[in-house]
Amino acid sequence: MRLILILLAGIASGAPTQDRDTVARKAYLAGDSATALENWSALVAEEGVSAARLSAMGNAEWRLGRRGRAMVCWERALSLDASDPVARAGIIHATALGGIERPRPTWQEQYASALNPDTWTMLTMLSFWILVITWAWPRLRGKKLTDTHHKLLLSAFTLLVLSIPGAWGTWTGRDRAIVRLTEENLKLTPTALGEYLAPLGEGDVVRTQRRLNGHIRVELSGGQVGWVREEAVESAWGITPPRSLDTPSQP
Amino acid sequence: MRKIYTWLWLLAPLFSQAADTVTTKIIPDTLGPGEPFRMEITVTSADDFAGPVLRIASELPVLEFIPLRFSGQRFSAGNTCTLLVSGVAPETPGEHRIPGFTATFAVRKVEIPETHFFVKANKAGTTQGFAKAVLDMPDRTFYVGETIRALIHFNHGTAERITGFYGIESRSESIKSRSTVINRDQEDAIESVAGLSPENTKLAAIELTPTQAGEVDVRLTGMMLVETNQGAGQLNRDRPFSFARKIKVAHVPEKGRPADWNGAVGSLVAGPVSLSNAKPGIGEPITLSVTVTGSANLDRVLAPEVPHGDLWDVMPANDKPRTIRKDSQRTFSYTLTPRMPGNLKTPAVRLSFFNPETKAYERIEFAPQDVTVTGQAPEKVELVAVDPAAAIGATEKAAQRATELLNPTTTEGNTRTRPNLLAQPYTLLWSQLGLLGILAGALIWSARRDWLNRHPEILRRRMALVALRKARRLLRKAERAGDNDAHAQAGVMALRAGAAALVEATDVALTAEDILRAMPELMTPASVRALFRRADGTRFGGTMTAETLNLHGDIERCLKQMEDRLCA
């Protein structure tokens, strides 16, 4: 009896989530992207994000014409799962046919795209600590290194050498942001009256550098460097849906 | 010679300087406080003036208490010109001065010298019947760009009545001015505050805007129409008035200035918010109007910026033309286009201003309005497009694959709420450095332990030193208590503990002679032996009663020597 009750409770609690996902997918396939987005956003607020969910939200945002939000969704999906095919396809579509500018990845970033960012970080830390502890543990115990220790040291060192470019690519890949505003320009100086350098399109991906006076120094895909207002761009990394640009009321 | 004289006579007018004779006269001769007067300036020149005076009106000095106005000129025979200037005597009795100025004619400039006149004092208790104008202006530091509202009270006299005024203007370069109209209700309010009845006064208002910081001269001039009661009837005349004040003007502070401050200085209140349509369809533009009211430089305020949002497209604000705008309020209208259906709120409109009374920046916010947007969001972008340049077959396959990917049939996956490890790189870095520090500490501890294992005498000496010091404390305690037995026992314990580490023996097995062999440099061997006899004698030869407390100093010296050797 108790088991039946537990099962019923589980079904009851899982039903709305399943329904919402089903409703969202049906609405998306029927062309009602707004409803799909509404349901997926509610799911994210309830359960958290996943790469697949962010990718699907990116698709819906793109169909609604909100290019900035779509790119943020897809980039963040890739930061969670570098192999997510939907996010990759979305970004390829946006850059090839949608007119979105995205910096070419460096060789270490391409190397890093083979695994998830967290995997590279964990691999680097793990190999480093195996290396250190294998060297330190016999010394702590007052003993000499054995053949096993030497084999372990060699393996950890090899793993560390292989994982460092991946971690480095992950590190440089996180310094990217997406232009969110439709009418934004690259400026020469980080001031409100900074001289115009180049136009920025909504959804364009830029490499970010340092921050100053409410502005952030960015490098465009063409290599041009200048300043843009901080609120005009949003980081490519995160575990939340894109932020709202509507001016909120003060508390 | 005669030729030379002829030429000199002909050229003489060219070399000679025409001498102008200028005389000034105040009419009447004696003036009472506030009494109007006429100043006649007679200029007699050897040459023709070639027309009337050109610029005297703008060159007359502006004095706070002596308003002057150029009222005309007349030419007489013999190149004599009389300039007529009307003015009003100051209220203060005594001698007064009108500074010199320049009268510019068509072909020359004539310097008018300064003029002095005397104002006699009124008899006590008598009132004068002259009308006068009084400037009412706040006394504080003003700010660049601020709109200062100054009031001019025209007070009737007992014998004169002010029927009107005109031509009020500022003659300062760093002050912009604008005359404003005062409504009847405003006038009543102001007069009731000033404590003056409407029958005895008229009111004019002028808005002044300082354009530069520092100590700025405010110079106002104007004319009032005065009706004088005389025996034969009423006489109407216009009479000048002027004010000269110095005010302090500062720039609005940079500290605490909000990024969205757009030049508003004053005190503002958020007025009503109106919406042209609360239930629009998606993509249907609606108008959001916000009204700001208050006492500020509303003419110079730029419309608050409302950026585009995810839910709204916003057109830049425009406001009502100035011709139909009220002075104390301004309305900004934004055109909003909803991008998504549902129950939305309009974007918040915020306006920052600098309040000169509190000397701080403040902000007002117009409450967002509820809007119900109906309809369905239009699909703006086709997600899948086929590359026309691709090879036949490959295009279809690629399009099919793209369609599959861009139309996901599932969104299931591992959900997470934890950010990536490198999202907080410094937390990760410091935690790793902390672990490395712990490991380094463990390695140092291990190395030290190995070193002590290789040198056991160090550990032995340290332990002996600890035991010796402990026994010394007991020795001193026994000495203070006068306990001979305890004193001897503690002394022997201390000597044995110290010597055991030196000879690598067990401490209880050591005798006095062992200790003296281990420490041959001890200065008082007899005292050591006596102490041992007292402590151990009972074990070997009956009760011992020898005093050892008097040997305390010797034993302390021995123990000090022993401690120094253990520490070496």
Side-chain angles (χ1 to χ4, degrees), chain A residues 43-179:
Chain A
L43 271 178
V44 166
E46 286 170 12
E47 298 179 350
V49 294
S50 68
R53 197 166 283 163
L54 274 175
S55 306
M57 287 174 71
N59 289 352
E61 296 280 11
W62 184 267
R63 282 166 66 165
L64 287 170
R66 306 200 290 191
R67 299 148 62 98
R69 291 180 68 93
M71 285 300 289
V72 171
C73 287
W74 285 329
E75 291 282 357
R76 287 186 175 173
L78 286 185
S79 78
L80 297 178
D81 179 4
S83 62
D84 186 79
V86 179
R88 283 188 172 202
I91 288 174
I92 289 169
H93 169 80
T95 50
L97 301 166
I100 296 289
E101 301 285 339
R102 189 170 184 255
R104 284 178 65 83
T106 57
W107 70 267
Q108 64 267 33
E109 285 171 0
Q110 279 184 330
Y111 182 84
S113 66
L115 294 173
N116 294 340
D118 272 3
T119 311
W120 283 119
T121 314
M122 291 297 290
L123 272 179
T124 310
M125 284 199 304
L126 193 69
S127 55
F128 172 76
W129 281 109
I130 288 174
L131 196 68
V132 169
I133 290 183
T134 308
W135 173 81
W137 187 248
R139 280 169 174 74
L140 285 171
R141 297 181 64 199
K143 293 182 178 177
K144 289 187 176 179
L145 296 180
T146 63
D147 284 350
T148 313
H149 289 129
H150 283 114
K151 284 175 188 168
L152 209 54
L153 276 175
L154 189 63
S155 309
F157 181 74
T158 310
L159 191 61
L160 183 64
V161 168
L162 288 174
S163 64
I164 280 176
W168 180 244
T170 305
W171 177 262
T172 56
R174 65 186 276 282
D175 289 334
R176 289 177 307 138
I178 291 102
V179 179

Side-chain angles (χ1 to χ4, degrees), chain A residues 18 21 25 28-35 37 40 43 47-53 55-56 58-60 62-67 69 74 79-80 85-86 89-90 93 97 117-118 121-122 125 128-129 132-133 135-137 139-142 167 170-171 174 180-183 202 229 237-239 242-250, chain B residues 305-313 339-341 345-350 363-368 376-388 401-402 404-426 428 431-437 439 441-447 449-450:
Chain A
Q18 283 298 323
D21 192 37
R25 278 189 284 114
Y28 178 79
L29 293 172
D32 185 2
S33 301
T35 306
L37 202 56
W40 278 324
L43 271 178
E47 298 179 350
V49 294
S50 68
R53 197 166 283 163
S55 306
N59 289 352
W62 184 267
R63 282 166 66 165
L64 287 170
R66 306 200 290 191
R67 299 148 62 98
R69 291 180 68 93
W74 285 329
S79 78
L80 297 178
V86 179
H93 169 80
L97 301 166
D118 272 3
T121 314
M122 291 297 290
M125 284 199 304
F128 172 76
W129 281 109
V132 169
I133 290 183
W135 173 81
W137 187 248
R139 280 169 174 74
L140 285 171
R141 297 181 64 199
T170 305
W171 177 262
R174 65 186 276 282
R180 290 292 314 276
L181 299 182
T182 49
E183 295 165 3
E202 184 190 1
R229 287 185 299 150
W237 267 37
I239 53 159
R243 67 178 155 85
S244 171
L245 292 181
D246 292 303
T247 313
S249 179
Q250 279 186 331
Chain B
E305 188 184 351
V306 179
H308 288 279
D310 296 323
L311 301 176
W312 298 96
D313 275 337
R339 299 173 73 178
M340 296 285 282
K345 279 189 180 295
T346 57
V349 182
R350 292 179 192 137
R363 175 180 278 169
I364 52 172
E365 178 173 328
F366 299 90
Q376 192 173 355
E379 299 291 330
K380 291 186 179 177
V381 181
E382 282 296 326
L383 196 51
V384 178
V386 179
D387 181 8
R401 175 67 180 145
E404 286 169 8
L405 288 173
L406 298 174
N407 292 287
T409 52
T410 179
T411 65
E412 287 177 3
N414 296 326
T415 54
R416 58 189 278 188
T417 53
R418 177 185 58 78
N420 282 339
L421 288 169
L422 283 180
Q424 289 110 16
Y426 293 106
L428 187 69
S431 64
Q432 299 303 301
L433 286 176
L435 288 173
L436 270 179
L439 185 68
L443 283 170
I444 290 167
W445 173 81
S446 170
R449 186 197 58 192
D450 291 348

Side-chain angles (χ1 to χ4, degrees), chain B residues 91-111:
Chain B
E91 297 284 330
T92 323
E95 186 166 334
H96 294 272
R97 181 179 73 93
I98 298 172
F101 57 95
T102 308
T104 304
F105 289 86
V107 293
R108 73 159 63 96
K109 288 185 173 182
V110 176
E111 294 296 328

Side-chain angles (χ1 to χ4, degrees), chain B residues 288-329:
Chain B
L288 173 73
S289 298
V290 295
T291 301
V292 59
T293 57
S295 166
N297 53 349
L298 286 170
D299 266 359
R300 293 165 180 267
V301 174
L302 300 173
E305 188 184 351
V306 179
H308 288 279
D310 296 323
L311 301 176
W312 298 96
D313 275 337
V314 184
M315 297 281 281
N318 53 10
D319 61 341
K320 287 180 181 173
R322 187 170 165 164
T323 48
I324 57 169
R325 191 195 300 161
K326 288 182 183 174
D327 276 340
S328 58
Q329 72 176 40

